[in-house]
Coordinates of all heavy atoms in Angstrom, one line a residue:
M20 N 75.3 109.5 70.5 CA 74.7 109.5 71.8 C 75.8 109.8 72.9 O 76.9 109.3 72.8 CB 74.1 108.0 72.1 CG 73.6 108.0 73.5 SD 73.0 106.4 74.1 CE 71.5 106.4 73.2
I21 N 75.4 110.6 73.8 CA 76.3 111.0 74.9 C 76.7 109.7 75.7 O 75.9 108.9 76.0 CB 75.7 112.0 75.8 CG1 75.5 113.3 75.1 CG2 76.5 112.2 77.1 CD1 74.8 114.4 75.9
V22 N 78.0 109.6 76.1 CA 78.5 108.6 76.9 C 78.9 109.2 78.3 O 79.7 110.1 78.3 CB 79.7 107.9 76.3 CG1 80.3 106.8 77.1 CG2 79.4 107.3 74.9
S23 N 78.4 108.6 79.3 CA 78.6 109.1 80.7 C 79.3 108.0 81.4 O 78.9 106.8 81.3 CB 77.3 109.5 81.4 OG 76.7 110.6 80.7
L24 N 80.2 108.4 82.3 CA 81.0 107.4 83.2 C 81.1 108.0 84.5 O 81.2 109.2 84.8 CB 82.4 107.3 82.7 CG 82.8 106.5 81.4 CD1 84.3 106.5 81.3 CD2 82.2 105.2 81.5
I25 N 81.1 107.1 85.5 CA 81.5 107.3 86.9 C 82.6 106.3 87.1 O 82.4 105.1 87.0 CB 80.4 107.1 87.9 CG1 79.3 108.2 87.6 CG2 80.9 107.3 89.3 CD1 78.0 108.0 88.5
A26 N 83.8 106.8 87.4 CA 84.9 105.9 87.7 C 85.4 106.2 89.1 O 85.7 107.4 89.5 CB 86.0 106.2 86.7
T27 N 85.5 105.1 89.9 CA 86.0 105.2 91.3 C 87.4 104.6 91.4 O 87.6 103.4 91.0 CB 85.0 104.5 92.2 OG1 83.7 105.1 92.0 CG2 85.3 104.7 93.6
L28 N 88.3 105.4 92.0 CA 89.6 104.9 92.2 C 89.9 105.0 93.7 O 89.7 106.0 94.3 CB 90.6 105.8 91.4 CG 90.5 105.8 89.9 CD1 89.6 106.9 89.5 CD2 91.8 106.0 89.3
T29 N 90.4 103.9 94.2 CA 90.8 103.8 95.6 C 92.2 103.7 95.8 O 92.9 102.7 95.4 CB 90.0 102.6 96.3 OG1 88.6 102.8 96.1 CG2 90.3 102.6 97.8
A30 N 92.8 104.7 96.5 CA 94.3 104.7 96.6 C 94.7 103.8 97.8 O 94.0 103.7 98.8 CB 94.7 106.1 96.9
R31 N 95.9 103.3 97.6 CA 96.6 102.7 98.8 C 96.9 103.8 99.7 O 97.2 104.9 99.3 CB 97.9 102.0 98.3 CG 97.7 100.9 97.4 CD 99.1 100.4 97.0 NE 98.9 99.3 95.9 CZ 98.7 98.1 96.0 NH1 98.7 97.5 97.2 NH2 98.6 97.3 95.0
P32 N 96.9 103.6 101.1 CA 97.2 104.7 102.0 C 98.5 105.3 101.7 O 98.6 106.6 101.8 CB 97.1 104.0 103.4 CG 96.2 102.8 103.2 CD 96.5 102.4 101.8
E33 N 99.5 104.6 101.4 CA 100.8 105.1 101.2 C 101.0 106.0 99.9 O 102.0 106.7 99.6 CB 101.9 104.1 101.3 CG 101.9 103.0 100.2 CD 101.0 101.9 100.5 OE1 100.1 102.0 101.4 OE2 101.1 100.9 99.8
T34 N 100.0 105.8 99.0 CA 100.1 106.4 97.6 C 99.1 107.5 97.4 O 98.9 108.0 96.3 CB 100.1 105.4 96.5 OG1 98.8 104.7 96.5 CG2 101.2 104.4 96.6
R35 N 98.3 107.7 98.5 CA 97.1 108.6 98.3 C 97.5 110.0 97.7 O 96.9 110.5 96.8 CB 96.4 108.8 99.6 CG 95.1 109.5 99.5 CD 95.1 111.0 100.0 NE 93.8 111.6 99.9 CZ 93.6 112.8 99.4 NH1 94.6 113.5 99.1 NH2 92.4 113.3 99.3
E36 N 98.5 110.7 98.3 CA 98.9 112.0 97.8 C 99.4 112.0 96.4 O 99.1 112.9 95.5 CB 99.9 112.6 98.7 CG 99.3 113.0 100.1 CD 98.1 113.9 100.0 OE1 98.1 114.9 99.2 OE2 97.1 113.6 100.7
E37 N 100.2 111.0 96.0 CA 100.7 110.8 94.7 C 99.6 110.6 93.7 O 99.6 111.2 92.7 CB 101.7 109.6 94.6 CG 102.3 109.5 93.3 CD 103.4 108.3 93.3 OE1 103.4 107.5 94.3 OE2 103.9 108.1 92.2
L38 N 98.7 109.7 94.0 CA 97.6 109.5 93.1 C 96.7 110.7 93.0 O 96.4 111.1 91.8 CB 96.7 108.3 93.7 CG 95.4 108.1 92.8 CD1 95.8 107.6 91.4 CD2 94.6 107.0 93.5
F39 N 96.5 111.5 94.1 CA 95.7 112.7 94.0 C 96.4 113.7 93.0 O 95.7 114.3 92.2 CB 95.6 113.3 95.4 CG 94.9 114.6 95.4 CD1 93.5 114.7 95.1 CD2 95.6 115.8 95.7 CE1 92.8 115.9 95.1 CE2 94.9 117.0 95.7 CZ 93.5 117.1 95.4
R40 N 97.7 113.9 93.1 CA 98.4 114.8 92.2 C 98.2 114.3 90.7 O 98.0 115.2 89.8 CB 99.8 114.9 92.6 CG 100.1 115.7 93.8 CD 101.6 116.1 94.0 NE 102.4 114.9 94.0 CZ 102.6 114.1 95.1 NH1 102.1 114.4 96.2 NH2 103.5 113.0 95.0
L41 N 98.3 113.0 90.5 CA 98.2 112.6 89.1 C 96.8 112.8 88.6 O 96.7 113.1 87.4 CB 98.6 111.1 89.0 CG 100.1 110.8 89.2 CD1 100.3 109.3 89.4 CD2 100.8 111.2 87.9
L42 N 95.8 112.5 89.4 CA 94.5 112.7 89.0 C 94.1 114.2 88.7 O 93.5 114.5 87.7 CB 93.5 112.2 90.1 CG 93.5 110.7 90.3 CD1 92.6 110.2 91.4 CD2 93.3 109.8 89.1
V43 N 94.5 115.1 89.6 CA 94.3 116.5 89.4 C 95.0 117.0 88.1 O 94.4 117.7 87.4 CB 94.8 117.3 90.6 CG1 94.9 118.8 90.3 CG2 94.0 117.1 91.8
D44 N 96.2 116.4 87.8 CA 96.8 116.8 86.5 C 96.1 116.4 85.3 O 96.4 116.9 84.2 CB 98.3 116.2 86.5 CG 99.2 116.8 87.6 OD1 98.9 117.9 88.1 OD2 100.3 116.2 87.7
Q45 N 95.1 115.5 85.4 CA 94.4 115.0 84.3 C 93.2 115.9 83.9 O 92.8 116.0 82.7 CB 93.8 113.6 84.5 CG 94.8 112.5 84.9 CD 95.9 112.5 83.9 OE1 95.8 112.5 82.7 NE2 97.2 112.5 84.4
V46 N 92.8 116.7 84.8 CA 91.6 117.5 84.7 C 91.6 118.5 83.6 O 90.8 118.5 82.6 CB 91.1 118.1 86.0 CG1 89.8 119.0 85.8 CG2 90.8 117.0 87.1
G47 N 92.6 119.4 83.6 CA 92.7 120.4 82.6 C 92.9 119.9 81.2 O 92.1 120.3 80.3
P48 N 93.9 119.0 81.0 CA 94.1 118.5 79.6 C 92.9 117.7 79.1 O 92.5 117.8 77.9 CB 95.3 117.6 79.8 CG 96.1 118.1 80.9 CD 95.0 118.6 81.9
T49 N 92.2 117.0 80.0 CA 91.0 116.2 79.6 C 89.9 117.2 79.2 O 89.3 116.9 78.2 CB 90.6 115.2 80.6 OG1 91.7 114.3 80.9 CG2 89.4 114.4 80.2
R50 N 89.7 118.2 79.9 CA 88.6 119.1 79.6 C 88.8 119.8 78.3 O 87.8 120.2 77.6 CB 88.4 120.1 80.7 CG 87.8 119.6 82.0 CD 87.6 120.6 83.1 NE 87.0 120.1 84.2 CZ 87.0 120.7 85.4 NH1 87.5 121.9 85.6 NH2 86.3 120.2 86.4
A51 N 90.0 119.9 77.8 CA 90.4 120.5 76.6 C 90.3 119.6 75.4 O 90.4 120.0 74.2 CB 91.8 121.1 76.6
E52 N 90.1 118.3 75.7 CA 90.0 117.3 74.6 C 88.7 117.4 73.7 O 87.6 117.8 74.3 CB 90.0 115.8 75.1 CG 91.3 115.5 75.7 CD 91.3 114.1 76.3 OE1 90.5 113.2 75.7 OE2 91.9 113.8 77.3
N53 N 88.8 117.1 72.5 CA 87.6 117.1 71.6 C 86.6 116.1 72.2 O 87.0 115.0 72.5 CB 88.0 116.7 70.1 CG 88.7 117.8 69.5 OD1 88.5 119.0 69.7 ND2 89.6 117.4 68.5
G54 N 85.4 116.5 72.2 CA 84.4 115.5 72.7 C 84.1 115.5 74.1 O 83.2 114.9 74.6
C55 N 85.0 116.2 74.9 CA 84.7 116.2 76.3 C 83.7 117.2 76.7 O 83.8 118.4 76.4 CB 85.9 116.5 77.1 SG 85.8 116.5 78.9
I56 N 82.5 116.8 77.2 CA 81.5 117.7 77.7 C 81.8 118.2 79.1 O 81.7 119.4 79.3 CB 80.1 117.0 77.7 CG1 79.8 116.5 76.2 CG2 79.1 117.9 78.3 CD1 78.5 115.6 76.1
D57 N 82.1 117.3 80.0 CA 82.6 117.6 81.3 C 83.4 116.5 81.9 O 83.2 115.3 81.5 CB 81.5 118.2 82.3 CG 80.4 117.2 82.5 OD1 80.5 116.0 82.2 OD2 79.3 117.6 83.0
Y58 N 84.3 116.8 82.8 CA 85.1 115.9 83.5 C 85.4 116.4 84.8 O 86.1 117.4 85.0 CB 86.4 115.8 82.6 CG 87.4 114.8 83.0 CD1 87.2 113.5 82.6 CD2 88.6 115.1 83.7 CE1 88.1 112.5 82.9 CE2 89.5 114.1 84.0 CZ 89.3 112.8 83.6 OH 90.2 111.8 83.8
N59 N 84.9 115.8 85.9 CA 84.9 116.3 87.2 C 85.5 115.3 88.2 O 85.1 114.2 88.2 CB 83.5 116.7 87.6 CG 82.9 117.8 86.7 OD1 83.4 118.9 86.8 ND2 81.9 117.5 86.0
L60 N 86.5 115.7 88.9 CA 87.1 114.9 90.0 C 86.5 115.3 91.4 O 86.4 116.4 91.7 CB 88.6 115.2 90.0 CG 89.4 114.4 91.0 CD1 89.3 113.0 91.0 CD2 90.9 114.8 91.0
H61 N 86.1 114.2 92.1 CA 85.6 114.4 93.5 C 86.4 113.5 94.4 O 87.0 112.5 94.0 CB 84.1 113.9 93.5 CG 83.3 114.7 92.5 ND1 82.7 115.9 92.9 CD2 82.9 114.5 91.3 CE1 81.9 116.3 91.8 NE2 82.1 115.5 90.8
V62 N 86.3 113.8 95.7 CA 86.8 113.0 96.8 C 85.7 112.6 97.6 O 84.8 113.4 98.0 CB 87.9 113.7 97.6 CG1 88.4 112.9 98.7 CG2 89.0 114.3 96.7
D63 N 85.6 111.3 98.0 CA 84.6 110.8 98.8 C 84.6 111.6 100.1 O 85.6 111.7 100.8 CB 84.8 109.3 99.1 CG 83.7 108.6 99.9 OD1 83.5 109.0 101.0 OD2 83.1 107.7 99.3
A64 N 83.5 112.0 100.5 CA 83.3 112.8 101.8 C 83.7 112.0 103.1 O 84.0 112.6 104.1 CB 82.0 113.4 101.9
M65 N 83.5 110.7 103.0 CA 83.8 109.9 104.2 C 85.1 109.2 104.1 O 85.6 108.7 105.2 CB 82.7 108.8 104.3 CG 81.3 109.4 104.4 SD 81.1 110.5 105.9 CE 81.2 109.3 107.2
D66 N 85.7 109.0 102.9 CA 87.0 108.3 102.8 C 87.9 109.1 101.9 O 87.7 109.0 100.6 CB 86.8 106.9 102.3 CG 88.0 106.1 102.3 OD1 89.2 106.6 102.4 OD2 87.9 104.9 102.1
P67 N 89.0 109.7 102.3 CA 89.8 110.5 101.5 C 90.7 109.8 100.5 O 91.4 110.4 99.7 CB 90.7 111.3 102.5 CG 90.7 110.5 103.7 CD 89.4 109.8 103.8
H68 N 90.6 108.5 100.6 CA 91.4 107.6 99.7 C 90.7 107.2 98.4 O 91.2 106.6 97.6 CB 91.8 106.3 100.4 CG 92.8 106.5 101.6 ND1 92.3 106.7 102.8 CD2 94.1 106.7 101.6 CE1 93.4 106.9 103.6 NE2 94.4 106.9 102.9
V69 N 89.4 107.6 98.4 CA 88.5 107.3 97.3 C 88.3 108.5 96.5 O 87.8 109.6 97.0 CB 87.1 106.7 97.8 CG1 86.2 106.4 96.6 CG2 87.4 105.4 98.6
F70 N 88.6 108.4 95.1 CA 88.4 109.5 94.2 C 87.3 109.0 93.2 O 87.3 107.9 92.7 CB 89.7 109.8 93.5 CG 90.8 110.2 94.5 CD1 91.7 109.3 94.9 CD2 90.8 111.5 95.0 CE1 92.7 109.7 95.8 CE2 91.8 111.9 95.9 CZ 92.7 111.0 96.3
V71 N 86.5 110.0 92.8 CA 85.5 109.7 91.8 C 85.5 110.7 90.7 O 85.5 111.9 90.9 CB 84.0 109.7 92.4 CG1 83.0 109.4 91.4 CG2 84.0 108.7 93.6
F72 N 85.6 110.1 89.4 CA 85.4 111.0 88.3 C 84.0 110.8 87.8 O 83.5 109.7 87.7 CB 86.4 110.5 87.1 CG 87.7 111.1 87.2 CD1 88.8 110.3 87.6 CD2 88.0 112.4 87.0 CE1 90.1 110.8 87.7 CE2 89.3 112.9 87.1 CZ 90.4 112.1 87.5
Y73 N 83.4 111.9 87.4 CA 82.1 111.9 86.7 C 82.4 112.6 85.4 O 82.9 113.8 85.4 CB 81.0 112.7 87.5 CG 79.8 112.8 86.7 CD1 79.0 111.6 86.5 CD2 79.3 114.0 86.2 CE1 77.8 111.7 85.7 CE2 78.1 114.0 85.5 CZ 77.4 112.9 85.2 OH 76.2 113.0 84.5
E74 N 82.2 111.9 84.3 CA 82.6 112.5 83.0 C 81.5 112.2 81.9 O 80.8 111.2 82.0 CB 83.9 111.9 82.6 CG 84.1 110.4 82.7 CD 85.6 110.0 82.6 OE1 86.0 109.9 81.4 OE2 86.2 109.7 83.6
N75 N 81.4 113.1 81.0 CA 80.5 113.0 79.9 C 81.2 113.3 78.6 O 81.9 114.3 78.5 CB 79.3 114.0 80.1 CG 78.4 113.6 81.2 OD1 77.6 112.7 81.1 ND2 78.5 114.4 82.2
W76 N 80.9 112.4 77.6 CA 81.6 112.6 76.3 C 80.6 112.6 75.2 O 79.5 112.0 75.3 CB 82.6 111.3 76.1 CG 83.6 111.3 77.1 CD1 83.6 110.7 78.4 CD2 84.9 112.0 77.0 NE1 84.8 111.0 79.1 CE2 85.6 111.7 78.2 CE3 85.5 112.7 76.0 CZ2 86.9 112.2 78.5 CZ3 86.8 113.2 76.2 CH2 87.4 113.0 77.5
K77 N 80.9 113.3 74.1 CA 79.9 113.4 73.0 C 79.7 112.0 72.3 O 78.6 111.8 71.7 CB 80.4 114.4 72.0 CG 80.3 115.8 72.6 CD 80.7 116.8 71.5 CE 80.7 118.2 72.1 NZ 81.2 119.3 71.2
S78 N 80.7 111.1 72.3 CA 80.5 109.9 71.7 C 81.5 108.8 72.3 O 82.5 109.2 73.0 CB 80.9 110.0 70.2 OG 82.2 110.2 70.0
Q79 N 81.3 107.6 72.0 CA 82.2 106.5 72.5 C 83.6 106.7 71.8 O 84.6 106.5 72.4 CB 81.6 105.1 72.1 CG 82.5 104.0 72.6 CD 82.6 103.9 74.1 OE1 81.6 104.0 74.8 NE2 83.9 103.8 74.7
A80 N 83.6 107.1 70.6 CA 84.9 107.4 69.9 C 85.7 108.5 70.6 O 86.9 108.4 70.7 CB 84.6 107.8 68.4
D81 N 85.0 109.5 71.1 CA 85.7 110.5 71.9 C 86.3 110.0 73.2 O 87.4 110.2 73.5 CB 84.8 111.7 72.2 CG 84.4 112.5 71.0 OD1 85.2 112.6 70.1 OD2 83.2 112.9 70.9
L82 N 85.5 109.1 73.9 CA 86.0 108.5 75.1 C 87.2 107.5 74.8 O 88.2 107.6 75.4 CB 85.0 107.7 75.8 CG 85.3 106.9 77.0 CD1 85.9 107.7 78.1 CD2 84.1 106.1 77.6
D83 N 87.1 106.8 73.7 CA 88.2 105.9 73.2 C 89.4 106.7 73.0 O 90.5 106.3 73.4 CB 87.8 105.1 72.1 CG 86.6 104.1 72.3 OD1 86.4 103.8 73.5 OD2 86.0 103.6 71.3
A84 N 89.3 107.8 72.3 CA 90.5 108.6 72.0 C 91.1 109.2 73.3 O 92.3 109.3 73.4 CB 90.1 109.8 71.1
H85 N 90.2 109.5 74.3 CA 90.7 110.0 75.6 C 91.6 109.0 76.2 O 92.7 109.3 76.8 CB 89.5 110.3 76.5 CG 89.9 110.5 77.9 ND1 90.7 111.4 78.4 CD2 89.6 109.7 79.0 CE1 90.8 111.3 79.7 NE2 90.1 110.2 80.1
M86 N 91.2 107.7 76.1 CA 92.0 106.7 76.8 C 93.4 106.5 76.2 O 94.2 105.8 76.8 CB 91.2 105.4 76.8 CG 89.9 105.5 77.7 SD 90.2 106.1 79.4 CE 91.2 104.8 80.0
E87 N 93.6 107.0 75.1 CA 94.9 106.9 74.4 C 95.7 108.2 74.5 O 96.9 108.2 74.0 CB 94.7 106.6 72.8 CG 93.9 105.3 72.6 CD 94.7 104.1 73.2 OE1 95.9 104.0 73.1 OE2 94.0 103.2 73.7
M88 N 95.2 109.2 75.2 CA 96.0 110.4 75.3 C 97.3 110.3 76.1 O 97.3 109.5 77.1 CB 95.1 111.5 76.0 CG 93.9 112.0 75.2 SD 94.6 113.0 73.8 CE 93.1 113.0 72.7
Q89 N 98.3 111.0 75.6 CA 99.6 110.9 76.2 C 99.5 111.4 77.7 O 100.3 110.9 78.5 CB 100.5 111.9 75.4 CG 102.0 111.7 75.8 CD 102.5 110.3 75.5 OE1 102.2 109.6 74.5 NE2 103.4 109.9 76.4
H90 N 98.7 112.4 78.0 CA 98.7 112.9 79.4 C 98.2 111.9 80.4 O 98.4 112.0 81.6 CB 97.9 114.2 79.5 CG 96.5 114.1 79.2 ND1 95.6 113.8 80.1 CD2 95.8 114.4 78.1 CE1 94.3 113.8 79.6 NE2 94.5 114.1 78.3
L91 N 97.6 110.8 79.9 CA 97.1 109.7 80.8 C 98.3 108.7 81.1 O 98.1 108.0 82.1 CB 96.0 108.9 80.2 CG 94.6 109.6 80.2 CD1 93.6 108.7 79.6 CD2 94.2 109.9 81.7
K92 N 99.3 108.7 80.4 CA 100.3 107.7 80.5 C 101.0 107.6 81.9 O 101.2 106.6 82.5 CB 101.4 107.9 79.4 CG 100.9 107.7 78.0 CD 100.4 106.5 77.7 CE 100.0 106.4 76.2 NZ 98.9 105.6 75.8
P93 N 101.3 108.8 82.5 CA 102.0 108.7 83.8 C 101.0 108.0 84.9 O 101.5 107.3 85.8 CB 102.2 110.2 84.2 CG 102.3 110.8 82.9 CD 101.3 110.2 82.0
L94 N 99.7 108.2 84.7 CA 98.8 107.6 85.6 C 98.6 106.1 85.3 O 98.8 105.3 86.2 CB 97.5 108.3 85.6 CG 96.3 107.6 86.3 CD1 96.6 107.6 87.8 CD2 94.9 108.3 86.0
L95 N 98.3 105.8 84.0 CA 98.0 104.4 83.7 C 99.2 103.5 83.8 O 99.0 102.3 84.1 CB 97.5 104.4 82.2 CG 96.1 105.1 82.1 CD1 95.7 105.1 80.6 CD2 95.0 104.6 82.9
S96 N 100.4 104.1 83.6 CA 101.6 103.2 83.7 C 101.9 102.8 85.2 O 102.6 101.8 85.4 CB 102.8 103.9 83.2 OG 103.2 105.0 84.0
Q97 N 101.2 103.4 86.2 CA 101.5 103.1 87.5 C 100.2 102.7 88.3 O 100.3 102.6 89.6 CB 102.1 104.3 88.3 CG 103.3 104.9 87.6 CD 103.8 106.1 88.4 OE1 104.2 106.0 89.5 NE2 103.6 107.2 87.8
I98 N 99.2 102.4 87.6 CA 97.8 102.2 88.2 C 97.8 101.1 89.2 O 97.3 101.2 90.3 CB 96.7 102.1 87.2 CG1 95.4 102.6 87.8 CG2 96.7 100.8 86.6 CD1 95.3 104.1 87.9
D99 N 98.5 100.0 88.9 CA 98.5 98.8 89.8 C 99.2 99.2 91.1 O 98.8 98.7 92.2 CB 99.1 97.6 89.2 CG 98.3 97.0 88.1 OD1 97.0 97.3 88.1 OD2 98.8 96.4 87.2
R100 N 100.3 99.9 91.1 CA 101.0 100.3 92.3 C 100.3 101.3 93.1 O 100.4 101.3 94.3 CB 102.4 100.9 91.9 CG 103.3 101.3 93.0 CD 104.5 101.9 92.5 NE 104.4 103.2 91.9 CZ 104.2 104.3 92.5 NH1 104.1 104.4 93.8 NH2 104.1 105.5 91.8
L101 N 99.5 102.2 92.5 CA 98.8 103.2 93.2 C 97.5 102.8 93.9 O 97.1 103.4 94.9 CB 98.6 104.4 92.3 CG 99.8 105.1 91.7 CD1 99.5 106.0 90.5 CD2 100.6 105.8 92.8
L102 N 96.8 101.9 93.2 CA 95.4 101.6 93.7 C 95.4 100.4 94.7 O 96.1 99.4 94.4 CB 94.6 101.3 92.5 CG 94.3 102.5 91.5 CD1 93.4 102.0 90.5 CD2 93.9 103.7 92.2
A103 N 94.5 100.5 95.6 CA 94.2 99.4 96.5 C 93.3 98.3 95.9 O 93.4 97.1 96.3 CB 93.5 99.9 97.8
K104 N 92.6 98.6 94.9 CA 91.7 97.7 94.2 C 91.5 98.2 92.8 O 91.8 99.4 92.5 CB 90.4 97.5 94.9 CG 89.6 98.7 95.1 CD 88.4 98.4 96.0 CE 87.5 99.6 96.1 NZ 86.3 99.2 96.9
P105 N 91.0 97.4 91.8 CA 90.8 97.8 90.5 C 89.8 98.9 90.4 O 88.9 99.2 91.2 CB 90.2 96.6 89.8 CG 90.6 95.4 90.6 CD 90.7 95.9 92.1
I106 N 90.0 99.8 89.4 CA 89.0 100.9 89.1 C 87.6 100.3 88.9 O 87.4 99.4 88.2 CB 89.4 101.7 87.8 CG1 90.8 102.2 88.1 CG2 88.4 102.8 87.6 CD1 91.5 102.9 86.8
D107 N 86.7 101.0 89.5 CA 85.3 100.6 89.4 C 84.6 101.6 88.4 O 84.6 102.8 88.7 CB 84.6 100.6 90.7 CG 83.1 100.2 90.7 OD1 82.7 99.5 89.8 OD2 82.3 100.6 91.6
I108 N 84.2 101.1 87.3 CA 83.6 102.0 86.3 C 82.1 101.7 86.0 O 81.8 100.5 85.8 CB 84.4 101.9 84.9 CG1 85.9 102.3 85.1 CG2 83.7 102.7 83.8 CD1 86.7 102.1 83.9
W109 N 81.3 102.7 86.1 CA 79.9 102.6 85.7 C 79.7 103.4 84.4 O 80.0 104.6 84.3 CB 79.0 103.3 86.8 CG 78.9 102.6 88.1 CD1 79.7 101.6 88.6 CD2 77.9 102.8 89.1 NE1 79.3 101.2 89.8 CE2 78.1 102.0 90.1 CE3 76.8 103.6 89.1 CZ2 77.4 101.9 91.3 CZ3 76.0 103.6 90.3 CH2 76.3 102.8 91.3
R110 N 79.2 102.7 83.4 CA 78.8 103.4 82.1 C 77.4 103.7 82.2 O 76.5 102.8 82.5 CB 79.2 102.5 81.0 CG 80.7 102.3 80.8 CD 81.0 101.4 79.6 NE 82.4 101.3 79.5 CZ 83.2 102.1 78.9 NH1 82.8 103.2 78.4 NH2 84.5 101.8 78.9
L111 N 77.0 104.9 81.9 CA 75.6 105.3 82.1 C 75.1 105.7 80.7 O 75.8 106.2 79.8 CB 75.5 106.5 83.0 CG 76.2 106.3 84.4 CD1 76.2 107.5 85.2 CD2 75.4 105.2 85.2
R112 N 73.8 105.7 80.6 CA 73.1 106.3 79.4 C 71.9 107.0 79.9 O 71.4 106.7 81.0 CB 72.7 105.2 78.4 CG 71.7 104.2 79.0 CD 71.4 103.2 77.9 NE 70.6 102.1 78.5 CZ 69.3 102.2 78.8 NH1 68.6 103.3 78.6 NH2 68.7 101.1 79.3
P113 N 71.4 108.0 79.2 CA 70.2 108.7 79.6 C 69.0 107.8 79.8 O 68.8 106.8 79.0 CB 70.0 109.7 78.5 CG 71.3 109.8 77.8 CD 71.9 108.5 77.9
A114 N 68.2 108.0 80.8 CA 67.0 107.2 81.0 C 66.0 107.5 79.9 O 65.9 108.7 79.5 CB 66.5 107.4 82.3
E115 N 65.2 106.6 79.5 CA 64.2 106.8 78.5 C 63.1 107.5 79.2 O 62.7 107.1 80.3 CB 63.7 105.5 77.9 CG 64.8 104.8 77.1 CD 65.3 105.5 75.9 OE1 64.4 106.2 75.2 OE2 66.5 105.4 75.6
P116 N 62.4 108.5 78.5 CA 61.3 109.2 79.2 C 60.1 108.3 79.4 O 59.2 108.6 80.2 CB 61.0 110.3 78.2 CG 61.6 110.0 76.9 CD 62.7 109.1 77.2
T117 N 60.0 107.2 78.8 CA 58.9 106.2 78.9 C 59.0 105.5 80.2 O 58.0 104.8 80.6 CB 58.8 105.2 77.8 OG1 60.1 104.4 77.9 CG2 58.7 105.8 76.5
G118 N 60.1 105.6 81.0 CA 60.3 104.9 82.2 C 60.8 103.5 82.0 O 61.1 102.8 82.9
N119 N 61.2 103.2 80.7 CA 61.8 101.9 80.4 C 63.3 101.8 80.7 O 63.9 100.9 80.4 CB 61.4 101.4 79.0 CG 59.9 101.1 78.9 OD1 59.3 100.8 79.8 ND2 59.4 101.3 77.7
G120 N 63.9 103.0 81.0 CA 65.3 103.2 81.3 C 66.1 102.3 80.8 O 67.2 102.0 80.8

């Protein structure tokens, strides 16, 4: 089953540009990973300190493998310093056509 995520990261004002560069650097390598359907980075239109990833994976195993990738290490090793608050993650699944979602 496809695994979809929305992850919101809020930068500290003093680390906004550094975080932005680290996030942008994740896009290409992540899109090339096995099981990545799409991986899109957005910036909140009202708050430039808020970044949102919308991502879809072929399976939970593919997402789990992504979280262990070497290219994430520079970001994950500094996450507490870079973020104003913890990452907010929404895990999504397709809605059932019966309306029972």
